[in-house]
Amino acid sequence: MTFESLKPQVESIILNAEKAVNERLLAICTLLETHVNYYNWIGFYFRNGQKEELLLGPYVGEPTDHTVIPFGKGICGQVAVSNKNFVVPDVAAQDNYIACSITVKAEIVVPIFVNGKNIGQIDIDSNTPDPFTEADERFLEFVCTAVSTLL
């Protein structure tokens, strides 16, 4: 399934007001995990109030111990500080990487902005080396913009 064909499904999930926000976020994670074969762990992290840390939100994939991530630590923590997408083709080459699983080979993190403020991010791990392209970035930016309307 192509990213373009997933966009209306993401929009449909966002617009389903009968479900709680976290249910919709989990549905997006499930949609992506089901239809993008190299997306092996998909989750949302959100800023913890005024604290400089991220809290794990809805996700699909292997359980993780990384439920709280300080700003600046790991890929997610770096995105919380930089406010920029971070694509990691090879996690083994990253000094500031928090390993969740030995099977993870690559990671992409895209921030979510509400009123110009970085309030969270989508984090995707892949067990495939160097799978992420510019198309992934643009699609995940679309997802994050859609998610921002819920928050």
Side-chain angles (χ1 to χ4, degrees), residues 45-57 66-73 76-81 117-121:
Y45 281 93
F46 294 101
R47 183 179 184 131
N48 183 10
Q50 295 305 310
K51 293 181 182 177
E52 294 207 341
E53 66 184 19
L54 298 165
L55 296 179
L56 180 62
H66 305 289
T67 58
V68 178
I69 299 177
F71 280 22
K73 183 150 175 60
C76 291
Q78 290 176 73
V79 169
V81 173
K117 184 175 179 177
N118 181 347
I119 57 92
Q121 54 204 227

Side-chain angles (χ1 to χ4, degrees), residues 121-146:
Q121 54 204 227
I122 191 167
D123 176 22
I124 298 177
D125 292 343
S126 179
N127 298 339
T128 303
D130 196 12
F132 304 115
T133 66
E134 188 173 323
D136 290 277
E137 277 194 81
R138 298 298 83 81
F139 173 67
L140 294 172
E141 287 168 352
F142 166 84
V143 170
C144 289
T145 299

Side-chain angles (χ1 to χ4, degrees), residues 66-130:
H66 305 289
T67 58
V68 178
I69 299 177
F71 280 22
K73 183 150 175 60
I75 308 308
C76 291
Q78 290 176 73
V79 169
V81 173
S82 74
N83 298 320
K84 295 182 177 152
N85 299 352
F86 199 155
V87 180
V88 182
D90 177 6
V91 296
Q94 279 294 316
D95 292 338
N96 191 8
Y97 172 68
I98 302 172
C100 292
S101 167
I102 59 168
T103 62
V104 175
K105 304 294 185 222
E107 183 174 10
I108 185 170
V109 179
V110 176
I112 301 168
F113 295 97
V114 173
N115 299 324
K117 184 175 179 177
N118 181 347
I119 57 92
Q121 54 204 227
I122 191 167
D123 176 22
I124 298 177
D125 292 343
S126 179
N127 298 339
T128 303
D130 196 12

